[in-house]
Amino acid sequence: MSAHSPVFRMSHPASNPTAALNLPLDALPAHCDVLIVGAGPAGCAAAITLAGAGFDVVLIDQHAFPRDKVCGDGLIPDAHQALRRLGLLDAVLARARSVRHVAVIGPRGGRIDVPGTLAVLPRHELDWMLCQAAVEAGARMHAPVRFVSTLEEGDGDSRRVVGAMVRAGDTSRQVHATWVLIASGAPPQALMSAQMCERRTPTGVALRGYVKNLAMVDRITELEVVWHPRMKRGYGWIFPGPDGVFNIGVGVAHSHAKGGDSGQTMQDINLRAMFDEFTRVHPAARDLVAGGEWVGELKGAPLRCSLRGARLSRPGLLVTGEAAGSTYAFTGEGIGKALETGLATADVLIEGRRRQLPESQVRTTYEQKVRALAPRYEMYDKANIVNMHPWLVDLVVWSAKRSPSRLRRMTGLLEETHLPSSLLSVRSWMRLLFVHT
């Protein structure tokens, strides 16, 4: 089957929807403690934690659940840590396919397997589990309901967000809230409506689909990430999921030209042509598609990366998850840091209530928590040079095979147990490649 004409037949999770999910607009309360816009990983992580702490939480999403979400579906170590804190790790891993390595594959076919704590679970299942957990914790989830604009009171420096106007179909409602959390993902519309958007264009784009191929289950057992000059400025991936279904896709981390916000434009990137090249240059991708059955259509999506593109807070409002740019450049990994920033929003609101802190201090603390993650994002930004010069992957593979210590350093980067200046300078690149420890 052509990659240009897959048939969408993704099944829903085994769990049945409950009456507590996808509540209609007319059941929306007039007031709550926290209104969360977006029921993805960041929004649900915040909702689970806040509702569990006794906050009156309303969660809205523009799509009824369960719903599909364009993503690589990879759960790397930071996602495992966040899911463990949420009490969901065992349930997620029971459904996910556990994986032991990330396979880094260069243009010449050279490969190294970097050990890590990894798993794959399609986002339509992961997000459904997170949303169910939020409702079980006490949050009320209303969908499909769209955020329209903020409600505000005061003037000048005393102006504060006090809720939101939301809409379903042709009907609008006001919801007053002590806090509004924007966790709406990469699309800029909610950020723009909330006056928090600093960059309308994305920092990356990706295209992915699902292919079922039982014959490849024992052949593709790790997270395969592939670089090749014929996939210009990007990379391809194959992630093995449950039930013999593989997530296959291509991505470009820096997809838009630099410049002013309104002047940033899409570079000359054809993701479908790039996907076709991936199936030509990587034998496993070719065989997976040629002998498999499409169970999820090829879909594209934007990425917001590197903690850039949005303000993090203003009075009465916090921005979290990919809306705040929580996705890593270079790899496009975003689930773990979305969960982590969602947890950070909940932590500061809980602590603020417990200690009766001024709102300004709550906001400052949240921004400090998010900005503390910046060194990791800087590292991934610098690593994006690999996407521009794929031959560097061959050099990394060659170097790692010469020394177990270099492979351990790469594992430390993946597990986030080791944050050197790696990839931040030519000297650190040389250390990664050539220095024994």
Side-chain angles (χ1 to χ4, degrees), residues 14-40:
S15 300
N16 292 321
T18 68
L21 271 76
N22 301 323
L23 294 172
L25 183 69
D26 59 14
L28 200 66
H31 186 275
C32 61
D33 293 331
V34 183
L35 173 65
I36 302 176
V37 180

mmCIF file with all atom_site columns, all heavy atoms in Angstrom, residues 14-40:
data_model
loop_
_atom_site.group_PDB
_atom_site.id
_atom_site.type_symbol
_atom_site.label_atom_id
_atom_site.label_alt_id
_atom_site.label_comp_id
_atom_site.label_asym_id
_atom_site.label_entity_id
_atom_site.label_seq_id
_atom_site.pdbx_PDB_ins_code
_atom_site.Cartn_x
_atom_site.Cartn_y
_atom_site.Cartn_z
_atom_site.occupancy
_atom_site.B_iso_or_equiv
_atom_site.pdbx_formal_charge
_atom_site.auth_seq_id
_atom_site.auth_comp_id
_atom_site.auth_asym_id
_atom_site.auth_atom_id
_atom_site.pdbx_PDB_model_num
ATOM 1   N N   . ALA A 1 14 ? -9.265  -0.392 25.400 1.00 0.00 ? 14 ALA A N   1
ATOM 2   C CA  . ALA A 1 14 ? -10.192 -1.420 25.866 1.00 0.00 ? 14 ALA A CA  1
ATOM 3   C C   . ALA A 1 14 ? -11.228 -0.853 26.827 1.00 0.00 ? 14 ALA A C   1
ATOM 4   O O   . ALA A 1 14 ? -12.371 -1.298 26.879 1.00 0.00 ? 14 ALA A O   1
ATOM 5   C CB  . ALA A 1 14 ? -9.406  -2.544 26.531 1.00 0.00 ? 14 ALA A CB  1
ATOM 6   N N   . SER A 1 15 ? -10.840 0.163  27.607 1.00 0.00 ? 15 SER A N   1
ATOM 7   C CA  . SER A 1 15 ? -11.764 0.719  28.586 1.00 0.00 ? 15 SER A CA  1
ATOM 8   C C   . SER A 1 15 ? -12.917 1.438  27.888 1.00 0.00 ? 15 SER A C   1
ATOM 9   O O   . SER A 1 15 ? -12.757 2.058  26.847 1.00 0.00 ? 15 SER A O   1
ATOM 10  C CB  . SER A 1 15 ? -11.031 1.703  29.494 1.00 0.00 ? 15 SER A CB  1
ATOM 11  O OG  . SER A 1 15 ? -9.990  1.060  30.178 1.00 0.00 ? 15 SER A OG  1
ATOM 12  N N   . ASN A 1 16 ? -14.098 1.349  28.468 1.00 0.00 ? 16 ASN A N   1
ATOM 13  C CA  . ASN A 1 16 ? -15.250 2.045  27.914 1.00 0.00 ? 16 ASN A CA  1
ATOM 14  C C   . ASN A 1 16 ? -15.340 3.444  28.487 1.00 0.00 ? 16 ASN A C   1
ATOM 15  O O   . ASN A 1 16 ? -15.004 3.679  29.652 1.00 0.00 ? 16 ASN A O   1
ATOM 16  C CB  . ASN A 1 16 ? -16.529 1.280  28.261 1.00 0.00 ? 16 ASN A CB  1
ATOM 17  C CG  . ASN A 1 16 ? -16.606 -0.044 27.547 1.00 0.00 ? 16 ASN A CG  1
ATOM 18  O OD1 . ASN A 1 16 ? -16.232 -0.139 26.386 1.00 0.00 ? 16 ASN A OD1 1
ATOM 19  N ND2 . ASN A 1 16 ? -17.088 -1.063 28.238 1.00 0.00 ? 16 ASN A ND2 1
ATOM 20  N N   . PRO A 1 17 ? -15.797 4.407  27.680 1.00 0.00 ? 17 PRO A N   1
ATOM 21  C CA  . PRO A 1 17 ? -15.986 5.743  28.225 1.00 0.00 ? 17 PRO A CA  1
ATOM 22  C C   . PRO A 1 17 ? -16.957 5.714  29.395 1.00 0.00 ? 17 PRO A C   1
ATOM 23  O O   . PRO A 1 17 ? -17.894 4.926  29.429 1.00 0.00 ? 17 PRO A O   1
ATOM 24  C CB  . PRO A 1 17 ? -16.568 6.528  27.034 1.00 0.00 ? 17 PRO A CB  1
ATOM 25  C CG  . PRO A 1 17 ? -16.155 5.752  25.828 1.00 0.00 ? 17 PRO A CG  1
ATOM 26  C CD  . PRO A 1 17 ? -16.125 4.320  26.254 1.00 0.00 ? 17 PRO A CD  1
ATOM 27  N N   . THR A 1 18 ? -16.739 6.557  30.368 1.00 0.00 ? 18 THR A N   1
ATOM 28  C CA  . THR A 1 18 ? -17.639 6.653  31.507 1.00 0.00 ? 18 THR A CA  1
ATOM 29  C C   . THR A 1 18 ? -18.420 7.941  31.423 1.00 0.00 ? 18 THR A C   1
ATOM 30  O O   . THR A 1 18 ? -18.073 8.854  30.690 1.00 0.00 ? 18 THR A O   1
ATOM 31  C CB  . THR A 1 18 ? -16.848 6.621  32.828 1.00 0.00 ? 18 THR A CB  1
ATOM 32  O OG1 . THR A 1 18 ? -16.088 7.829  32.935 1.00 0.00 ? 18 THR A OG1 1
ATOM 33  C CG2 . THR A 1 18 ? -15.909 5.436  32.881 1.00 0.00 ? 18 THR A CG2 1
ATOM 34  N N   . ALA A 1 19 ? -19.497 7.991  32.226 1.00 0.00 ? 19 ALA A N   1
ATOM 35  C CA  . ALA A 1 19 ? -20.358 9.179  32.203 1.00 0.00 ? 19 ALA A CA  1
ATOM 36  C C   . ALA A 1 19 ? -19.618 10.409 32.687 1.00 0.00 ? 19 ALA A C   1
ATOM 37  O O   . ALA A 1 19 ? -20.038 11.535 32.419 1.00 0.00 ? 19 ALA A O   1
ATOM 38  C CB  . ALA A 1 19 ? -21.583 8.924  33.077 1.00 0.00 ? 19 ALA A CB  1
ATOM 39  N N   . ALA A 1 20 ? -18.513 10.203 33.413 1.00 0.00 ? 20 ALA A N   1
ATOM 40  C CA  . ALA A 1 20 ? -17.788 11.334 33.976 1.00 0.00 ? 20 ALA A CA  1
ATOM 41  C C   . ALA A 1 20 ? -16.851 11.990 32.976 1.00 0.00 ? 20 ALA A C   1
ATOM 42  O O   . ALA A 1 20 ? -16.316 13.063 33.247 1.00 0.00 ? 20 ALA A O   1
ATOM 43  C CB  . ALA A 1 20 ? -16.999 10.888 35.205 1.00 0.00 ? 20 ALA A CB  1
ATOM 44  N N   . LEU A 1 21 ? -16.616 11.353 31.816 1.00 0.00 ? 21 LEU A N   1
ATOM 45  C CA  . LEU A 1 21 ? -15.762 11.934 30.791 1.00 0.00 ? 21 LEU A CA  1
ATOM 46  C C   . LEU A 1 21 ? -16.619 12.549 29.691 1.00 0.00 ? 21 LEU A C   1
ATOM 47  O O   . LEU A 1 21 ? -17.749 12.124 29.451 1.00 0.00 ? 21 LEU A O   1
ATOM 48  C CB  . LEU A 1 21 ? -14.831 10.880 30.200 1.00 0.00 ? 21 LEU A CB  1
ATOM 49  C CG  . LEU A 1 21 ? -13.494 10.707 30.930 1.00 0.00 ? 21 LEU A CG  1
ATOM 50  C CD1 . LEU A 1 21 ? -13.689 9.950  32.218 1.00 0.00 ? 21 LEU A CD1 1
ATOM 51  C CD2 . LEU A 1 21 ? -12.490 10.002 30.042 1.00 0.00 ? 21 LEU A CD2 1
ATOM 52  N N   . ASN A 1 22 ? -16.031 13.543 29.004 1.00 0.00 ? 22 ASN A N   1
ATOM 53  C CA  . ASN A 1 22 ? -16.713 14.191 27.887 1.00 0.00 ? 22 ASN A CA  1
ATOM 54  C C   . ASN A 1 22 ? -18.055 14.773 28.306 1.00 0.00 ? 22 ASN A C   1
ATOM 55  O O   . ASN A 1 22 ? -19.067 14.643 27.600 1.00 0.00 ? 22 ASN A O   1
ATOM 56  C CB  . ASN A 1 22 ? -16.897 13.209 26.726 1.00 0.00 ? 22 ASN A CB  1
ATOM 57  C CG  . ASN A 1 22 ? -15.587 12.660 26.206 1.00 0.00 ? 22 ASN A CG  1
ATOM 58  O OD1 . ASN A 1 22 ? -14.584 13.367 26.157 1.00 0.00 ? 22 ASN A OD1 1
ATOM 59  N ND2 . ASN A 1 22 ? -15.585 11.397 25.820 1.00 0.00 ? 22 ASN A ND2 1
ATOM 60  N N   . LEU A 1 23 ? -18.077 15.410 29.474 1.00 0.00 ? 23 LEU A N   1
ATOM 61  C CA  . LEU A 1 23 ? -19.306 16.049 29.927 1.00 0.00 ? 23 LEU A CA  1
ATOM 62  C C   . LEU A 1 23 ? -19.686 17.182 28.982 1.00 0.00 ? 23 LEU A C   1
ATOM 63  O O   . LEU A 1 23 ? -18.822 17.854 28.419 1.00 0.00 ? 23 LEU A O   1
ATOM 64  C CB  . LEU A 1 23 ? -19.113 16.597 31.346 1.00 0.00 ? 23 LEU A CB  1
ATOM 65  C CG  . LEU A 1 23 ? -18.897 15.552 32.448 1.00 0.00 ? 23 LEU A CG  1
ATOM 66  C CD1 . LEU A 1 23 ? -18.517 16.243 33.755 1.00 0.00 ? 23 LEU A CD1 1
ATOM 67  C CD2 . LEU A 1 23 ? -20.142 14.707 32.638 1.00 0.00 ? 23 LEU A CD2 1
ATOM 68  N N   . PRO A 1 24 ? -20.971 17.444 28.803 1.00 0.00 ? 24 PRO A N   1
ATOM 69  C CA  . PRO A 1 24 ? -21.403 18.480 27.863 1.00 0.00 ? 24 PRO A CA  1
ATOM 70  C C   . PRO A 1 24 ? -21.201 19.880 28.430 1.00 0.00 ? 24 PRO A C   1
ATOM 71  O O   . PRO A 1 24 ? -20.995 20.079 29.629 1.00 0.00 ? 24 PRO A O   1
ATOM 72  C CB  . PRO A 1 24 ? -22.891 18.173 27.677 1.00 0.00 ? 24 PRO A CB  1
ATOM 73  C CG  . PRO A 1 24 ? -23.297 17.537 28.969 1.00 0.00 ? 24 PRO A CG  1
ATOM 74  C CD  . PRO A 1 24 ? -22.120 16.725 29.407 1.00 0.00 ? 24 PRO A CD  1
ATOM 75  N N   . LEU A 1 25 ? -21.303 20.851 27.538 1.00 0.00 ? 25 LEU A N   1
ATOM 76  C CA  . LEU A 1 25 ? -21.113 22.249 27.927 1.00 0.00 ? 25 LEU A CA  1
ATOM 77  C C   . LEU A 1 25 ? -22.145 22.685 28.952 1.00 0.00 ? 25 LEU A C   1
ATOM 78  O O   . LEU A 1 25 ? -21.823 23.445 29.872 1.00 0.00 ? 25 LEU A O   1
ATOM 79  C CB  . LEU A 1 25 ? -21.200 23.142 26.684 1.00 0.00 ? 25 LEU A CB  1
ATOM 80  C CG  . LEU A 1 25 ? -20.959 24.638 26.910 1.00 0.00 ? 25 LEU A CG  1
ATOM 81  C CD1 . LEU A 1 25 ? -19.501 24.898 27.257 1.00 0.00 ? 25 LEU A CD1 1
ATOM 82  C CD2 . LEU A 1 25 ? -21.354 25.437 25.665 1.00 0.00 ? 25 LEU A CD2 1
ATOM 83  N N   . ASP A 1 26 ? -23.385 22.212 28.834 1.00 0.00 ? 26 ASP A N   1
ATOM 84  C CA  . ASP A 1 26 ? -24.420 22.695 29.745 1.00 0.00 ? 26 ASP A CA  1
ATOM 85  C C   . ASP A 1 26 ? -24.224 22.176 31.174 1.00 0.00 ? 26 ASP A C   1
ATOM 86  O O   . ASP A 1 26 ? -24.896 22.641 32.096 1.00 0.00 ? 26 ASP A O   1
ATOM 87  C CB  . ASP A 1 26 ? -25.817 22.350 29.231 1.00 0.00 ? 26 ASP A CB  1
ATOM 88  C CG  . ASP A 1 26 ? -26.036 20.859 29.044 1.00 0.00 ? 26 ASP A CG  1
ATOM 89  O OD1 . ASP A 1 26 ? -25.224 20.049 29.556 1.00 0.00 ? 26 ASP A OD1 1
ATOM 90  O OD2 . ASP A 1 26 ? -27.029 20.488 28.382 1.00 0.00 ? 26 ASP A OD2 1
ATOM 91  N N   . ALA A 1 27 ? -23.287 21.217 31.361 1.00 0.00 ? 27 ALA A N   1
ATOM 92  C CA  . ALA A 1 27 ? -22.974 20.749 32.711 1.00 0.00 ? 27 ALA A CA  1
ATOM 93  C C   . ALA A 1 27 ? -21.775 21.466 33.308 1.00 0.00 ? 27 ALA A C   1
ATOM 94  O O   . ALA A 1 27 ? -21.375 21.181 34.441 1.00 0.00 ? 27 ALA A O   1
ATOM 95  C CB  . ALA A 1 27 ? -22.710 19.238 32.687 1.00 0.00 ? 27 ALA A CB  1
ATOM 96  N N   . LEU A 1 28 ? -21.230 22.402 32.557 1.00 0.00 ? 28 LEU A N   1
ATOM 97  C CA  . LEU A 1 28 ? -20.037 23.121 33.008 1.00 0.00 ? 28 LEU A CA  1
ATOM 98  C C   . LEU A 1 28 ? -20.386 24.024 34.186 1.00 0.00 ? 28 LEU A C   1
ATOM 99  O O   . LEU A 1 28 ? -21.360 24.778 34.127 1.00 0.00 ? 28 LEU A O   1
ATOM 100 C CB  . LEU A 1 28 ? -19.489 23.963 31.856 1.00 0.00 ? 28 LEU A CB  1
ATOM 101 C CG  . LEU A 1 28 ? -18.042 24.429 31.913 1.00 0.00 ? 28 LEU A CG  1
ATOM 102 C CD1 . LEU A 1 28 ? -17.093 23.240 31.831 1.00 0.00 ? 28 LEU A CD1 1
ATOM 103 C CD2 . LEU A 1 28 ? -17.766 25.390 30.759 1.00 0.00 ? 28 LEU A CD2 1
ATOM 104 N N   . PRO A 1 29 ? -19.597 23.986 35.260 1.00 0.00 ? 29 PRO A N   1
ATOM 105 C CA  . PRO A 1 29 ? -19.896 24.849 36.406 1.00 0.00 ? 29 PRO A CA  1
ATOM 106 C C   . PRO A 1 29 ? -19.554 26.304 36.107 1.00 0.00 ? 29 PRO A C   1
ATOM 107 O O   . PRO A 1 29 ? -18.759 26.600 35.223 1.00 0.00 ? 29 PRO A O   1
ATOM 108 C CB  . PRO A 1 29 ? -18.994 24.294 37.509 1.00 0.00 ? 29 PRO A CB  1
ATOM 109 C CG  . PRO A 1 29 ? -17.840 23.699 36.774 1.00 0.00 ? 29 PRO A CG  1
ATOM 110 C CD  . PRO A 1 29 ? -18.422 23.135 35.515 1.00 0.00 ? 29 PRO A CD  1
ATOM 111 N N   . ALA A 1 30 ? -20.158 27.192 36.860 1.00 0.00 ? 30 ALA A N   1
ATOM 112 C CA  . ALA A 1 30 ? -19.901 28.616 36.673 1.00 0.00 ? 30 ALA A CA  1
ATOM 113 C C   . ALA A 1 30 ? -18.588 29.042 37.305 1.00 0.00 ? 30 ALA A C   1
ATOM 114 O O   . ALA A 1 30 ? -18.036 30.090 36.946 1.00 0.00 ? 30 ALA A O   1
ATOM 115 C CB  . ALA A 1 30 ? -21.047 29.441 37.269 1.00 0.00 ? 30 ALA A CB  1
ATOM 116 N N   . HIS A 1 31 ? -18.071 28.242 38.250 1.00 0.00 ? 31 HIS A N   1
ATOM 117 C CA  . HIS A 1 31 ? -16.844 28.618 38.946 1.00 0.00 ? 31 HIS A CA  1
ATOM 118 C C   . HIS A 1 31 ? -16.080 27.367 39.355 1.00 0.00 ? 31 HIS A C   1
ATOM 119 O O   . HIS A 1 31 ? -16.684 26.315 39.637 1.00 0.00 ? 31 HIS A O   1
ATOM 120 C CB  . HIS A 1 31 ? -17.137 29.463 40.194 1.00 0.00 ? 31 HIS A CB  1
ATOM 121 C CG  . HIS A 1 31 ? -15.895 29.978 40.847 1.00 0.00 ? 31 HIS A CG  1
ATOM 122 N ND1 . HIS A 1 31 ? -15.166 29.231 41.762 1.00 0.00 ? 31 HIS A ND1 1
ATOM 123 C CD2 . HIS A 1 31 ? -15.240 31.160 40.713 1.00 0.00 ? 31 HIS A CD2 1
ATOM 124 C CE1 . HIS A 1 31 ? -14.110 29.936 42.157 1.00 0.00 ? 31 HIS A CE1 1
ATOM 125 N NE2 . HIS A 1 31 ? -14.140 31.109 41.540 1.00 0.00 ? 31 HIS A NE2 1
ATOM 126 N N   . CYS A 1 32 ? -14.767 27.466 39.374 1.00 0.00 ? 32 CYS A N   1
ATOM 127 C CA  . CYS A 1 32 ? -13.907 26.397 39.870 1.00 0.00 ? 32 CYS A CA  1
ATOM 128 C C   . CYS A 1 32 ? -12.621 27.014 40.393 1.00 0.00 ? 32 CYS A C   1
ATOM 129 O O   . CYS A 1 32 ? -12.347 28.201 40.167 1.00 0.00 ? 32 CYS A O   1
ATOM 130 C CB  . CYS A 1 32 ? -13.609 25.362 38.776 1.00 0.00 ? 32 CYS A CB  1
ATOM 131 S SG  . CYS A 1 32 ? -12.749 26.044 37.348 1.00 0.00 ? 32 CYS A SG  1
ATOM 132 N N   . ASP A 1 33 ? -11.833 26.211 41.090 1.00 0.00 ? 33 ASP A N   1
ATOM 133 C CA  . ASP A 1 33 ? -10.532 26.702 41.540 1.00 0.00 ? 33 ASP A CA  1
ATOM 134 C C   . ASP A 1 33 ? -9.564  26.846 40.383 1.00 0.00 ? 33 ASP A C   1
ATOM 135 O O   . ASP A 1 33 ? -8.869  27.860 40.246 1.00 0.00 ? 33 ASP A O   1
ATOM 136 C CB  . ASP A 1 33 ? -9.922  25.748 42.582 1.00 0.00 ? 33 ASP A CB  1
ATOM 137 C CG  . ASP A 1 33 ? -10.701 25.732 43.881 1.00 0.00 ? 33 ASP A CG  1
ATOM 138 O OD1 . ASP A 1 33 ? -11.314 26.755 44.211 1.00 0.00 ? 33 ASP A OD1 1
ATOM 139 O OD2 . ASP A 1 33 ? -10.683 24.681 44.557 1.00 0.00 ? 33 ASP A OD2 1
ATOM 140 N N   . VAL A 1 34 ? -9.494  25.798 39.523 1.00 0.00 ? 34 VAL A N   1
ATOM 141 C CA  . VAL A 1 34 ? -8.544  25.780 38.415 1.00 0.00 ? 34 VAL A CA  1
ATOM 142 C C   . VAL A 1 34 ? -9.248  25.278 37.161 1.00 0.00 ? 34 VAL A C   1
ATOM 143 O O   . VAL A 1 34 ? -9.846  24.202 37.167 1.00 0.00 ? 34 VAL A O   1
ATOM 144 C CB  . VAL A 1 34 ? -7.331  24.872 38.724 1.00 0.00 ? 34 VAL A CB  1
ATOM 145 C CG1 . VAL A 1 34 ? -6.317  24.932 37.579 1.00 0.00 ? 34 VAL A CG1 1
ATOM 146 C CG2 . VAL A 1 34 ? -6.670  25.270 40.036 1.00 0.00 ? 34 VAL A CG2 1
ATOM 147 N N   . LEU A 1 35 ? -9.169  26.072 36.105 1.00 0.00 ? 35 LEU A N   1
ATOM 148 C CA  . LEU A 1 35 ? -9.656  25.674 34.792 1.00 0.00 ? 35 LEU A CA  1
ATOM 149 C C   . LEU A 1 35 ? -8.448  25.322 33.932 1.00 0.00 ? 35 LEU A C   1
ATOM 150 O O   . LEU A 1 35 ? -7.562  26.158 33.721 1.00 0.00 ? 35 LEU A O   1
ATOM 151 C CB  . LEU A 1 35 ? -10.447 26.805 34.135 1.00 0.00 ? 35 LEU A CB  1
ATOM 152 C CG  . LEU A 1 35 ? -10.875 26.573 32.682 1.00 0.00 ? 35 LEU A CG  1
ATOM 153 C CD1 . LEU A 1 35 ? -11.858 25.409 32.578 1.00 0.00 ? 35 LEU A CD1 1
ATOM 154 C CD2 . LEU A 1 35 ? -11.474 27.845 32.082 1.00 0.00 ? 35 LEU A CD2 1
ATOM 155 N N   . ILE A 1 36 ? -8.392  24.079 33.442 1.00 0.00 ? 36 ILE A N   1
ATOM 156 C CA  . ILE A 1 36 ? -7.265  23.615 32.647 1.00 0.00 ? 36 ILE A CA  1
ATOM 157 C C   . ILE A 1 36 ? -7.715  23.452 31.204 1.00 0.00 ? 36 ILE A C   1
ATOM 158 O O   . ILE A 1 36 ? -8.654  22.704 30.914 1.00 0.00 ? 36 ILE A O   1
ATOM 159 C CB  . ILE A 1 36 ? -6.711  22.283 33.188 1.00 0.00 ? 36 ILE A CB  1
ATOM 160 C CG1 . ILE A 1 36 ? -6.286  22.455 34.655 1.00 0.00 ? 36 ILE A CG1 1
ATOM 161 C CG2 . ILE A 1 36 ? -5.535  21.811 32.341 1.00 0.00 ? 36 ILE A CG2 1
ATOM 162 C CD1 . ILE A 1 36 ? -5.805  21.165 35.305 1.00 0.00 ? 36 ILE A CD1 1
ATOM 163 N N   . VAL A 1 37 ? -7.037  24.134 30.305 1.00 0.00 ? 37 VAL A N   1
ATOM 164 C CA  . VAL A 1 37 ? -7.360  24.105 28.880 1.00 0.00 ? 37 VAL A CA  1
ATOM 165 C C   . VAL A 1 37 ? -6.421  23.127 28.197 1.00 0.00 ? 37 VAL A C   1
ATOM 166 O O   . VAL A 1 37 ? -5.248  23.405 27.977 1.00 0.00 ? 37 VAL A O   1
ATOM 167 C CB  . VAL A 1 37 ? -7.225  25.506 28.255 1.00 0.00 ? 37 VAL A CB  1
ATOM 168 C CG1 . VAL A 1 37 ? -7.564  25.461 26.769 1.00 0.00 ? 37 VAL A CG1 1
ATOM 169 C CG2 . VAL A 1 37 ? -8.112  26.509 28.987 1.00 0.00 ? 37 VAL A CG2 1
ATOM 170 N N   . GLY A 1 38 ? -6.926  21.936 27.884 1.00 0.00 ? 38 GLY A N   1
ATOM 171 C CA  . GLY A 1 38 ? -6.130  20.911 27.224 1.00 0.00 ? 38 GLY A CA  1
ATOM 172 C C   . GLY A 1 38 ? -5.956  19.688 28.096 1.00 0.00 ? 38 GLY A C   1
ATOM 173 O O   . GLY A 1 38 ? -5.415  19.780 29.201 1.00 0.00 ? 38 GLY A O   1
ATOM 174 N N   . ALA A 1 39 ? -6.405  18.522 27.600 1.00 0.00 ? 39 ALA A N   1
ATOM 175 C CA  . ALA A 1 39 ? -6.377  17.296 28.387 1.00 0.00 ? 39 ALA A CA  1
ATOM 176 C C   . ALA A 1 39 ? -5.308  16.325 27.908 1.00 0.00 ? 39 ALA A C   1
ATOM 177 O O   . ALA A 1 39 ? -5.488  15.116 27.948 1.00 0.00 ? 39 ALA A O   1
ATOM 178 C CB  . ALA A 1 39 ? -7.754  16.624 28.358 1.00 0.00 ? 39 ALA A CB  1
ATOM 179 N N   . GLY A 1 40 ? -4.175  16.874 27.436 1.00 0.00 ? 40 GLY A N   1
ATOM 180 C CA  . GLY A 1 40 ? -3.028  16.045 27.104 1.00 0.00 ? 40 GLY A CA  1
ATOM 181 C C   . GLY A 1 40 ? -2.217  15.747 28.357 1.00 0.00 ? 40 GLY A C   1
ATOM 182 O O   . GLY A 1 40 ? -2.682  15.943 29.488 1.00 0.00 ? 40 GLY A O   1
#
